[in-house]
Amino acid sequence: MGDKKISLPAKLINGGVAGLVGVTCVFPIDLAKTRLQNQQGVQVYKGMFDCLAKTVRSEGYFGCYRGAAVNLTLVTPEKAIKLAANDVFRQKLSKDGHLPLWGEVLAGCGAGTCQVVVTTPMEMLKIQLQDAGRLAAQRPMAAPTQTAAPGPAPSVVTAASQARSACPQRPSATGITVELLKTRGLAGLYRGAGATLMRDVPFSMIYFPLFANLNALGRERAEGQAGDQAQAPFWQSFLAGCTAGSVAAVAVTPLDVIKTRLQTLQKGEGEDTYRGIVDCTRRIMSREGPTAFLKGAACRALVIAPLFGIAQGVYFLGVGEAVLGLRG
């Protein structure tokens, strides 16, 4: 990312627009990732495509966007904080327009730490909504062979009320938030914050330095600009974002699996609950083996690559500067 001076409002707009566009494009794959990572005993889904196909059949097309409203609402501040914080840290750590590798890593660490304030509650709510369909598919249907009890036939009203009680209501973000605040306070929304930090800080430490170096490859100097300030073409920013995003996403997938398991409140039949990061890691290793830590790795790469490719593309197109009239 170039070290040119950009106003903070422009950075926030760029990050917000990038997050909205990116999440809209890749959210169904993220839903498949969450459901695959949460599978322990009963294998409802065989893979990403099987998960998406079964979701569409049982919940309709918009079932693939369960939890999207939460993500779209909170991804704007999340992405804005992440991109803006990294850029601010890079400017502060630069000397004479040059930023050493340790400075790039430190800037990424700072960005990942800052975003957790928004990321943790966003992921907490999103995971419950995304995983509801998997739990419903796992729940056994009532046996149809039960003999009816002697006596008068039940009324239509009674039958309807029994049907409603048999089919649990779909959770809503508002309902989950209210319940968590009532029962656990604000800390309930920040369940798994340690695991989120453990995932997002290494991700940013890998992503931002890798992106900056890929984005600088073969960059031609713009007239009157220093090498570090030359603007990369759109396609280079996009591809650098995709490549760096996919590498960082796969690298931290084991940490993402732990975070997802810890933040999932409702478990399916026979599925483990965990007391913390160490307990979760130990149980996954002993009961499912090391390959369980890579569940959803392909999905994560397919989500993060375009998400950050779009983010960096929007950032370098200067949407925020155009909106604020700062571009010449």
Side-chain angles (χ1 to χ4, degrees), residues 1 6-24 71-87 115 118 122 207-208 306-324:
M1 188 178 297
I6 303 175
S7 71
L8 182 60
K11 293 172 188 173
L12 298 178
I13 292 172
N14 285 333
V17 171
L20 290 172
V21 174
V23 166
T24 302
N71 227 20
L72 290 171
T73 301
L74 295 178
V75 75
T76 298
E78 188 226 17
K79 284 289 175 288
I81 289 170
K82 188 186 192 83
L83 293 174
N86 178 71
D87 208 46
Q115 79 170 84
V118 177
M122 178 183 76
Y207 172 79
F208 284 111
L307 190 63
F308 278 86
I310 292 168
Q312 295 297 353
V314 169
Y315 200 88
F316 277 86
L317 284 174
V319 174
E321 295 91 314
V323 170
L324 297 174

Short mmCIF file of all heavy atoms in Angstrom, two decimals, residues 1 6-24 71-87 115 118 122 207-208 306-324:
data_model
loop_
_atom_site.label_atom_id
_atom_site.label_comp_id
_atom_site.label_asym_id
_atom_site.label_seq_id
_atom_site.Cartn_x
_atom_site.Cartn_y
_atom_site.Cartn_z
N MET A 1 0.84 -1.17 0.00
CA MET A 1 0.00 0.00 0.00
C MET A 1 0.88 1.22 0.00
O MET A 1 1.82 1.33 0.77
CB MET A 1 -0.90 0.01 1.24
CG MET A 1 -1.93 1.09 1.24
SD MET A 1 -2.98 0.96 2.72
CE MET A 1 -3.73 -0.64 2.44
N ILE A 6 -3.50 10.17 2.95
CA ILE A 6 -4.93 10.07 2.63
C ILE A 6 -5.70 10.44 3.89
O ILE A 6 -5.35 10.02 4.98
CB ILE A 6 -5.31 8.65 2.19
CG1 ILE A 6 -4.46 8.22 0.99
CG2 ILE A 6 -6.78 8.58 1.81
CD1 ILE A 6 -4.68 6.79 0.57
N SER A 7 -6.75 11.24 3.73
CA SER A 7 -7.51 11.67 4.91
C SER A 7 -8.19 10.47 5.56
O SER A 7 -8.56 9.51 4.87
CB SER A 7 -8.54 12.72 4.50
OG SER A 7 -9.58 12.12 3.75
N LEU A 8 -8.37 10.54 6.88
CA LEU A 8 -9.01 9.44 7.60
C LEU A 8 -10.43 9.18 7.12
O LEU A 8 -10.81 8.02 6.93
CB LEU A 8 -8.99 9.74 9.11
CG LEU A 8 -9.59 8.65 10.00
CD1 LEU A 8 -8.82 7.33 9.84
CD2 LEU A 8 -9.56 9.09 11.47
N PRO A 9 -11.27 10.21 6.88
CA PRO A 9 -12.62 9.93 6.36
C PRO A 9 -12.59 9.17 5.04
O PRO A 9 -13.42 8.28 4.81
CB PRO A 9 -13.23 11.32 6.19
CG PRO A 9 -12.50 12.18 7.16
CD PRO A 9 -11.10 11.64 7.18
N ALA A 10 -11.64 9.49 4.17
CA ALA A 10 -11.53 8.78 2.88
C ALA A 10 -11.16 7.32 3.10
O ALA A 10 -11.69 6.42 2.44
CB ALA A 10 -10.49 9.45 1.99
N LYS A 11 -10.27 7.07 4.06
CA LYS A 11 -9.89 5.69 4.38
C LYS A 11 -11.09 4.90 4.89
O LYS A 11 -11.29 3.73 4.53
CB LYS A 11 -8.79 5.68 5.45
CG LYS A 11 -7.45 6.25 5.00
CD LYS A 11 -6.51 6.36 6.19
CE LYS A 11 -5.24 7.11 5.80
NZ LYS A 11 -4.38 7.36 6.96
N LEU A 12 -11.89 5.54 5.74
CA LEU A 12 -13.05 4.86 6.30
C LEU A 12 -14.08 4.55 5.21
O LEU A 12 -14.68 3.47 5.20
CB LEU A 12 -13.68 5.72 7.40
CG LEU A 12 -12.78 5.99 8.62
CD1 LEU A 12 -13.50 6.88 9.62
CD2 LEU A 12 -12.35 4.70 9.28
N ILE A 13 -14.28 5.48 4.29
CA ILE A 13 -15.23 5.25 3.18
C ILE A 13 -14.72 4.12 2.29
O ILE A 13 -15.48 3.23 1.89
CB ILE A 13 -15.44 6.54 2.37
CG1 ILE A 13 -16.19 7.57 3.22
CG2 ILE A 13 -16.22 6.25 1.09
CD1 ILE A 13 -16.29 8.94 2.57
N ASN A 14 -13.43 4.15 1.97
CA ASN A 14 -12.86 3.09 1.13
C ASN A 14 -13.03 1.72 1.78
O ASN A 14 -13.46 0.76 1.13
CB ASN A 14 -11.35 3.35 0.92
CG ASN A 14 -11.09 4.46 -0.07
OD1 ASN A 14 -11.90 4.72 -0.96
ND2 ASN A 14 -9.97 5.14 0.08
N GLY A 15 -12.71 1.63 3.07
CA GLY A 15 -12.84 0.36 3.77
C GLY A 15 -14.27 -0.10 3.84
O GLY A 15 -14.57 -1.29 3.67
N GLY A 16 -15.20 0.83 4.09
CA GLY A 16 -16.61 0.48 4.18
C GLY A 16 -17.19 -0.01 2.87
O GLY A 16 -17.86 -1.04 2.81
N VAL A 17 -16.92 0.71 1.79
CA VAL A 17 -17.41 0.31 0.47
C VAL A 17 -16.83 -1.04 0.07
O VAL A 17 -17.54 -1.92 -0.45
CB VAL A 17 -17.06 1.38 -0.59
CG1 VAL A 17 -17.37 0.89 -2.00
CG2 VAL A 17 -17.84 2.66 -0.31
N ALA A 18 -15.55 -1.21 0.30
CA ALA A 18 -14.90 -2.48 -0.04
C ALA A 18 -15.53 -3.63 0.72
O ALA A 18 -15.78 -4.71 0.16
CB ALA A 18 -13.41 -2.39 0.28
N GLY A 19 -15.80 -3.43 2.01
CA GLY A 19 -16.40 -4.48 2.82
C GLY A 19 -17.79 -4.85 2.34
O GLY A 19 -18.13 -6.03 2.21
N LEU A 20 -18.61 -3.86 2.02
CA LEU A 20 -19.98 -4.12 1.56
C LEU A 20 -20.00 -4.88 0.24
O LEU A 20 -20.74 -5.86 0.08
CB LEU A 20 -20.73 -2.79 1.40
CG LEU A 20 -21.08 -2.05 2.69
CD1 LEU A 20 -21.64 -0.67 2.38
CD2 LEU A 20 -22.08 -2.84 3.53
N VAL A 21 -19.18 -4.45 -0.71
CA VAL A 21 -19.13 -5.12 -2.02
C VAL A 21 -18.59 -6.54 -1.86
O VAL A 21 -19.15 -7.51 -2.39
CB VAL A 21 -18.26 -4.32 -3.01
CG1 VAL A 21 -18.10 -5.08 -4.32
CG2 VAL A 21 -18.89 -2.96 -3.28
N GLY A 22 -17.49 -6.68 -1.12
CA GLY A 22 -16.86 -7.99 -0.97
C GLY A 22 -17.74 -9.00 -0.27
O GLY A 22 -17.89 -10.14 -0.73
N VAL A 23 -18.36 -8.61 0.84
CA VAL A 23 -19.20 -9.54 1.60
C VAL A 23 -20.40 -9.99 0.78
O VAL A 23 -20.78 -11.17 0.80
CB VAL A 23 -19.67 -8.87 2.92
CG1 VAL A 23 -20.79 -9.67 3.56
CG2 VAL A 23 -18.50 -8.78 3.88
N THR A 24 -21.01 -9.07 0.04
CA THR A 24 -22.16 -9.43 -0.80
C THR A 24 -21.78 -10.52 -1.81
O THR A 24 -22.58 -11.42 -2.09
CB THR A 24 -22.69 -8.19 -1.54
OG1 THR A 24 -23.05 -7.19 -0.58
CG2 THR A 24 -23.92 -8.53 -2.37
N ASN A 71 -23.40 -9.08 9.07
CA ASN A 71 -22.10 -8.86 8.45
C ASN A 71 -22.07 -7.54 7.68
O ASN A 71 -21.11 -6.78 7.76
CB ASN A 71 -21.77 -10.02 7.52
CG ASN A 71 -20.36 -10.53 7.72
OD1 ASN A 71 -19.76 -10.31 8.76
ND2 ASN A 71 -19.82 -11.21 6.74
N LEU A 72 -23.12 -7.29 6.92
CA LEU A 72 -23.16 -6.08 6.11
C LEU A 72 -23.24 -4.83 6.99
O LEU A 72 -22.73 -3.77 6.62
CB LEU A 72 -24.36 -6.11 5.15
CG LEU A 72 -24.24 -7.13 4.01
CD1 LEU A 72 -25.56 -7.23 3.26
CD2 LEU A 72 -23.12 -6.75 3.05
N THR A 73 -23.87 -4.96 8.15
CA THR A 73 -23.97 -3.82 9.07
C THR A 73 -22.63 -3.51 9.72
O THR A 73 -22.23 -2.34 9.82
CB THR A 73 -25.02 -4.11 10.16
OG1 THR A 73 -26.28 -4.36 9.55
CG2 THR A 73 -25.15 -2.92 11.11
N LEU A 74 -21.92 -4.56 10.15
CA LEU A 74 -20.70 -4.35 10.92
C LEU A 74 -19.41 -4.45 10.11
O LEU A 74 -18.34 -4.09 10.60
CB LEU A 74 -20.64 -5.36 12.08
CG LEU A 74 -21.75 -5.20 13.13
CD1 LEU A 74 -21.63 -6.27 14.21
CD2 LEU A 74 -21.70 -3.82 13.76
N VAL A 75 -19.51 -4.94 8.86
CA VAL A 75 -18.28 -5.07 8.07
C VAL A 75 -17.74 -3.71 7.68
O VAL A 75 -16.53 -3.56 7.47
CB VAL A 75 -18.52 -5.93 6.81
CG1 VAL A 75 -19.30 -5.15 5.74
CG2 VAL A 75 -17.20 -6.44 6.25
N THR A 76 -18.61 -2.70 7.58
CA THR A 76 -18.13 -1.36 7.23
C THR A 76 -17.15 -0.83 8.27
O THR A 76 -16.01 -0.48 7.93
CB THR A 76 -19.30 -0.39 7.04
OG1 THR A 76 -20.12 -0.86 5.96
CG2 THR A 76 -18.81 1.01 6.71
N PRO A 77 -17.54 -0.78 9.57
CA PRO A 77 -16.53 -0.34 10.55
C PRO A 77 -15.36 -1.30 10.68
O PRO A 77 -14.22 -0.86 10.90
CB PRO A 77 -17.32 -0.25 11.86
CG PRO A 77 -18.54 -1.07 11.66
CD PRO A 77 -18.86 -0.97 10.20
N GLU A 78 -15.62 -2.61 10.51
CA GLU A 78 -14.53 -3.58 10.67
C GLU A 78 -13.45 -3.38 9.61
O GLU A 78 -12.27 -3.25 9.92
CB GLU A 78 -15.08 -5.01 10.60
CG GLU A 78 -14.04 -6.05 10.95
CD GLU A 78 -14.02 -7.23 9.99
OE1 GLU A 78 -14.56 -7.11 8.89
OE2 GLU A 78 -13.43 -8.25 10.35
N LYS A 79 -13.87 -3.38 8.34
CA LYS A 79 -12.89 -3.21 7.26
C LYS A 79 -12.28 -1.82 7.28
O LYS A 79 -11.09 -1.64 6.97
CB LYS A 79 -13.56 -3.46 5.90
CG LYS A 79 -13.82 -4.93 5.61
CD LYS A 79 -12.52 -5.65 5.33
CE LYS A 79 -12.75 -7.14 5.15
NZ LYS A 79 -13.06 -7.85 6.38
N ALA A 80 -13.08 -0.82 7.63
CA ALA A 80 -12.56 0.54 7.69
C ALA A 80 -11.47 0.65 8.75
O ALA A 80 -10.41 1.24 8.52
CB ALA A 80 -13.70 1.52 7.98
N ILE A 81 -11.73 0.07 9.93
CA ILE A 81 -10.74 0.11 11.00
C ILE A 81 -9.47 -0.64 10.59
O ILE A 81 -8.35 -0.16 10.79
CB ILE A 81 -11.32 -0.51 12.29
CG1 ILE A 81 -12.38 0.42 12.90
CG2 ILE A 81 -10.22 -0.79 13.32
CD1 ILE A 81 -13.18 -0.21 14.03
N LYS A 82 -9.65 -1.81 9.98
CA LYS A 82 -8.50 -2.64 9.60
C LYS A 82 -7.59 -1.92 8.60
O LYS A 82 -6.39 -1.78 8.81
CB LYS A 82 -9.00 -3.95 9.00
CG LYS A 82 -7.92 -4.99 8.75
CD LYS A 82 -8.53 -6.18 8.02
CE LYS A 82 -7.59 -7.36 8.00
NZ LYS A 82 -7.66 -8.16 9.21
N LEU A 83 -8.19 -1.43 7.50
CA LEU A 83 -7.39 -0.80 6.45
C LEU A 83 -6.83 0.55 6.91
O LEU A 83 -5.67 0.87 6.65
CB LEU A 83 -8.23 -0.62 5.19
CG LEU A 83 -8.65 -1.91 4.48
CD1 LEU A 83 -9.59 -1.60 3.33
CD2 LEU A 83 -7.43 -2.66 3.96
N ALA A 84 -7.66 1.32 7.61
CA ALA A 84 -7.21 2.64 8.05
C ALA A 84 -6.11 2.51 9.11
O ALA A 84 -5.11 3.24 9.07
CB ALA A 84 -8.38 3.44 8.59
N ALA A 85 -6.28 1.58 10.07
CA ALA A 85 -5.28 1.41 11.12
C ALA A 85 -3.95 0.97 10.53
O ALA A 85 -2.89 1.49 10.92
CB ALA A 85 -5.77 0.38 12.14
N ASN A 86 -3.98 0.03 9.58
CA ASN A 86 -2.73 -0.41 8.96
C ASN A 86 -2.03 0.75 8.26
O ASN A 86 -0.81 0.92 8.38
CB ASN A 86 -3.01 -1.53 7.95
CG ASN A 86 -1.75 -1.98 7.24
OD1 ASN A 86 -0.88 -2.61 7.80
ND2 ASN A 86 -1.66 -1.62 5.96
N ASP A 87 -2.81 1.58 7.54
CA ASP A 87 -2.21 2.70 6.82
C ASP A 87 -1.62 3.73 7.78
O ASP A 87 -0.54 4.26 7.56
CB ASP A 87 -3.27 3.35 5.92
CG ASP A 87 -2.65 4.01 4.70
OD1 ASP A 87 -1.79 3.37 4.07
OD2 ASP A 87 -3.01 5.15 4.40
N GLN A 115 -9.08 -4.13 14.99
CA GLN A 115 -10.34 -4.56 14.39
C GLN A 115 -11.13 -5.53 15.27
O GLN A 115 -12.34 -5.69 15.09
CB GLN A 115 -10.08 -5.23 13.04
CG GLN A 115 -9.59 -6.67 13.15
CD GLN A 115 -9.58 -7.39 11.82
OE1 GLN A 115 -8.62 -7.26 11.08
NE2 GLN A 115 -10.61 -8.14 11.52
N VAL A 118 -14.63 -4.76 16.80
CA VAL A 118 -15.85 -4.93 16.00
C VAL A 118 -16.01 -6.36 15.53
O VAL A 118 -17.12 -6.89 15.49
CB VAL A 118 -15.83 -3.97 14.78
CG1 VAL A 118 -17.06 -4.19 13.90
CG2 VAL A 118 -15.75 -2.53 15.23
N MET A 122 -19.44 -9.24 15.79
CA MET A 122 -19.96 -9.51 14.46
C MET A 122 -19.89 -11.01 14.17
O MET A 122 -20.88 -11.61 13.72
CB MET A 122 -19.15 -8.75 13.41
CG MET A 122 -19.61 -9.02 11.97
SD MET A 122 -18.60 -8.18 10.73
CE MET A 122 -17.13 -9.23 10.74
N TYR A 207 -0.73 -10.86 5.99
CA TYR A 207 -1.41 -10.26 4.83
C TYR A 207 -0.79 -8.93 4.39
O TYR A 207 -0.43 -8.76 3.21
CB TYR A 207 -2.90 -10.07 5.11
CG TYR A 207 -3.58 -9.28 4.02
CD1 TYR A 207 -3.94 -9.89 2.82
CD2 TYR A 207 -3.82 -7.91 4.18
CE1 TYR A 207 -4.53 -9.15 1.81
CE2 TYR A 207 -4.41 -7.18 3.17
CZ TYR A 207 -4.77 -7.80 1.99
OH TYR A 207 -5.34 -7.07 0.99
N PHE A 208 -0.69 -7.97 5.30
CA PHE A 208 -0.30 -6.62 4.89
C PHE A 208 1.12 -6.53 4.35
O PHE A 208 1.33 -5.90 3.30
CB PHE A 208 -0.53 -5.63 6.04
CG PHE A 208 -1.98 -5.28 6.23
CD1 PHE A 208 -2.68 -5.71 7.34
CD2 PHE A 208 -2.67 -4.52 5.28
CE1 PHE A 208 -4.02 -5.38 7.51
CE2 PHE A 208 -4.01 -4.20 5.44
CZ PHE A 208 -4.68 -4.63 6.56
N PRO A 306 -11.08 -12.96 -2.89
CA PRO A 306 -11.81 -11.87 -3.55
C PRO A 306 -12.17 -10.74 -2.61
O PRO A 306 -12.23 -9.57 -3.01
CB PRO A 306 -13.06 -12.55 -4.11
CG PRO A 306 -13.21 -13.80 -3.32
CD PRO A 306 -11.84 -14.22 -2.93
N LEU A 307 -12.42 -11.06 -1.33
CA LEU A 307 -12.81 -10.03 -0.37
C LEU A 307 -11.72 -8.97 -0.24
O LEU A 307 -11.99 -7.76 -0.32
CB LEU A 307 -13.07 -10.68 1.00
CG LEU A 307 -13.70 -9.81 2.08
CD1 LEU A 307 -15.09 -9.37 1.67
CD2 LEU A 307 -13.76 -10.56 3.39
N PHE A 308 -10.48 -9.42 -0.09
CA PHE A 308 -9.39 -8.46 0.06
C PHE A 308 -8.91 -7.94 -1.29
O PHE A 308 -8.36 -6.83 -1.37
CB PHE A 308 -8.24 -9.08 0.85
CG PHE A 308 -8.49 -9.01 2.33
CD1 PHE A 308 -9.22 -9.99 2.97
CD2 PHE A 308 -8.01 -7.95 3.07
CE1 PHE A 308 -9.47 -9.92 4.33
CE2 PHE A 308 -8.24 -7.87 4.44
CZ PHE A 308 -8.98 -8.85 5.07
N GLY A 309 -9.10 -8.72 -2.35
CA GLY A 309 -8.81 -8.20 -3.69
C GLY A 309 -9.70 -7.01 -4.00
O GLY A 309 -9.24 -5.96 -4.47
N ILE A 310 -11.00 -7.17 -3.74
CA ILE A 310 -11.95 -6.07 -3.94
C ILE A 310 -11.61 -4.91 -3.02
O ILE A 310 -11.65 -3.74 -3.43
CB ILE A 310 -13.39 -6.57 -3.70
CG1 ILE A 310 -13.79 -7.55 -4.80
CG2 ILE A 310 -14.38 -5.40 -3.64
CD1 ILE A 310 -15.08 -8.31 -4.51
N ALA A 311 -11.28 -5.22 -1.76
CA ALA A 311 -10.97 -4.17 -0.79
C ALA A 311 -9.80 -3.31 -1.27
O ALA A 311 -9.87 -2.07 -1.25
CB ALA A 311 -10.65 -4.79 0.57
N GLN A 312 -8.73 -3.96 -1.69
CA GLN A 312 -7.57 -3.20 -2.12
C GLN A 312 -7.82 -2.50 -3.45
O GLN A 312 -7.32 -1.39 -3.69
CB GLN A 312 -6.34 -4.12 -2.24
CG GLN A 312 -5.88 -4.71 -0.92
CD GLN A 312 -5.42 -3.66 0.08
OE1 GLN A 312 -5.31 -2.48 -0.22
NE2 GLN A 312 -5.16 -4.09 1.31
N GLY A 313 -8.63 -3.12 -4.32
CA GLY A 313 -8.99 -2.47 -5.57
C GLY A 313 -9.75 -1.18 -5.33
O GLY A 313 -9.45 -0.13 -5.91
N VAL A 314 -10.75 -1.24 -4.44
CA VAL A 314 -11.54 -0.05 -4.10
C VAL A 314 -10.65 1.00 -3.44
O VAL A 314 -10.75 2.20 -3.73
CB VAL A 314 -12.72 -0.43 -3.17
CG1 VAL A 314 -13.38 0.81 -2.59
CG2 VAL A 314 -13.74 -1.27 -3.93
N TYR A 315 -9.78 0.54 -2.56
CA TYR A 315 -8.89 1.45 -1.84
C TYR A 315 -8.01 2.22 -2.81
O TYR A 315 -7.83 3.43 -2.69
CB TYR A 315 -8.04 0.64 -0.87
CG TYR A 315 -7.43 1.44 0.26
CD1 TYR A 315 -8.13 1.64 1.44
CD2 TYR A 315 -6.16 1.99 0.15
CE1 TYR A 315 -7.58 2.36 2.49
CE2 TYR A 315 -5.59 2.71 1.19
CZ TYR A 315 -6.31 2.90 2.35
OH TYR A 315 -5.76 3.62 3.38
N PHE A 316 -7.47 1.51 -3.81
CA PHE A 316 -6.56 2.16 -4.73
C PHE A 316 -7.28 2.92 -5.85
O PHE A 316 -6.70 3.79 -6.48
CB PHE A 316 -5.55 1.14 -5.30
CG PHE A 316 -4.40 0.92 -4.37
CD1 PHE A 316 -4.49 -0.01 -3.35
CD2 PHE A 316 -3.24 1.66 -4.48
CE1 PHE A 316 -3.44 -0.20 -2.46
CE2 PHE A 316 -2.19 1.47 -3.60
CZ PHE A 316 -2.28 0.54 -2.59
N LEU A 317 -8.54 2.59 -6.08
CA LEU A 317 -9.32 3.41 -7.01
C LEU A 317 -9.65 4.76 -6.39
O LEU A 317 -9.97 5.71 -7.08
CB LEU A 317 -10.61 2.69 -7.40
CG LEU A 317 -10.49 1.54 -8.41
CD1 LEU A 317 -11.83 0.84 -8.57
CD2 LEU A 317 -9.98 2.07 -9.75
N GLY A 318 -9.59 4.81 -5.05
CA GLY A 318 -9.82 6.08 -4.37
C GLY A 318 -11.27 6.49 -4.34
O GLY A 318 -11.61 7.65 -4.58
N VAL A 319 -12.16 5.53 -4.04
CA VAL A 319 -13.59 5.84 -3.97
C VAL A 319 -13.87 6.90 -2.91
O VAL A 319 -14.64 7.83 -3.14
CB VAL A 319 -14.41 4.56 -3.69
CG1 VAL A 319 -15.88 4.89 -3.49
CG2 VAL A 319 -14.25 3.56 -4.83
N GLY A 320 -13.23 6.74 -1.75
CA GLY A 320 -13.45 7.70 -0.67
C GLY A 320 -13.02 9.11 -1.05
O GLY A 320 -13.72 10.09 -0.77
N GLU A 321 -11.87 9.21 -1.72
CA GLU A 321 -11.39 10.53 -2.14
C GLU A 321 -12.34 11.15 -3.16
O GLU A 321 -12.59 12.35 -3.13
CB GLU A 321 -9.99 10.42 -2.75
CG GLU A 321 -8.92 9.98 -1.76
CD GLU A 321 -8.72 8.49 -1.71
OE1 GLU A 321 -9.72 7.74 -1.67
OE2 GLU A 321 -7.58 8.03 -1.71
N ALA A 322 -12.88 10.30 -4.06
CA ALA A 322 -13.82 10.81 -5.06
C ALA A 322 -15.10 11.31 -4.42
O ALA A 322 -15.64 12.36 -4.78
CB ALA A 322 -14.13 9.71 -6.07
N VAL A 323 -15.60 10.55 -3.42
CA VAL A 323 -16.83 10.95 -2.71
C VAL A 323 -16.65 12.28 -2.00
O VAL A 323 -17.54 13.15 -1.99
CB VAL A 323 -17.26 9.85 -1.72
CG1 VAL A 323 -18.38 10.35 -0.79
CG2 VAL A 323 -17.71 8.61 -2.45
N LEU A 324 -15.47 12.46 -1.40
CA LEU A 324 -15.21 13.68 -0.63
C LEU A 324 -14.66 14.81 -1.49
O LEU A 324 -14.40 15.91 -1.00
CB LEU A 324 -14.21 13.38 0.50
CG LEU A 324 -14.68 12.38 1.56
CD1 LEU A 324 -13.55 12.05 2.53
CD2 LEU A 324 -15.88 12.93 2.34
#
